[in-house]
């Protein structure tokens, strides 16, 4: 994924059974996670698991951000986390998209334990 390119559009159902799309974030500032909010960054997670499994996971982890349920792998393919919709699972990647829908940063491999702090420090 190239920095400066338009981010691929996405839409789907979150772990809270709410519909979201990339278009709903265009032109908006962050409304989530205070540390990121100060930097005008909204956090959205994507998982290949169904709503029920993601809801339990998000609850157990204390997530306060939406977790998009990408069971078809379409979003994962668009963002380079899976090679095809036939893949058994997606890799953990991160993409920073600005409020105009442009890619500001892309990390093809992230460690979930350390990446949030690393990303915040890079903003």
């Amino acid at each position: 994924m190239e920095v400066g390119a338009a981010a691929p559009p996405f839409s789907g159902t979150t772990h809270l059974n709410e519909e979201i799309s990339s278009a709903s974030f265009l032109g908006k500032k962050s409304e989530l996670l205070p540390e990121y909010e100060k930097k005008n960054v909204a956090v959205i997670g994507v998982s290949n698991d169904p709503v029920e499994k993601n809801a339990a996971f998000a609850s157990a982890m204390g997530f306060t951000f939406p977790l998009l349920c990408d069971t078809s792998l379409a979003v994962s393919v668009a963002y380079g986390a899976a090679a095809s919709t036939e893949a058994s699972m997606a890799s953990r990647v991160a993409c920073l998209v600005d409020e105009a829908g442009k890619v500001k940063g892309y990390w093809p491999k992230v460690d979930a334990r350390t990446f949030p702090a690393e990303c915040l420090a890079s903003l």
Side-chain angles (χ1 to χ4, degrees):
M1 184 151 307
E2 188 175 324
V3 172
F10 67 84
S11 65
T13 304
T14 71
H15 70 287
L16 299 174
N17 226 9
E18 298 171 342
E19 296 296 315
I20 65 168
S21 71
S22 52
S24 63
F25 291 91
L26 292 176
K28 293 186 179 179
K29 300 288 185 183
S30 173
E31 300 169 358
L32 306 167
L33 303 177
E35 312 86 46
Y36 284 90
E37 184 176 334
K38 292 175 189 171
K39 304 284 187 172
N40 293 321
V41 174
V43 174
I44 303 165
V46 179
S47 171
N48 307 131
D49 290 322
V51 171
E52 301 79 21
K53 190 169 182 180
N54 278 333
F57 178 70
S59 177
M61 299 302 291
F63 289 172
T64 59
F65 54 87
L67 186 55
L68 184 70
C69 303
D70 182 31
T71 56
S72 71
L73 291 173
V75 176
S76 298
V77 169
Y79 280 81
S84 78
T85 57
E86 302 301 318
S88 60
M89 61 185 290
S91 299
R92 187 168 281 137
V93 304
C95 184
L96 185 61
V97 180
D98 69 14
E99 56 218 25
K102 300 288 185 189
V103 175
K104 298 300 278 187
Y106 184 78
W107 297 263
K109 185 176 181 182
V110 298
D111 181 331
R113 295 169 297 213
T114 60
F115 182 73
E118 292 169 10
C119 182
L120 190 60
S122 76
L123 298 173

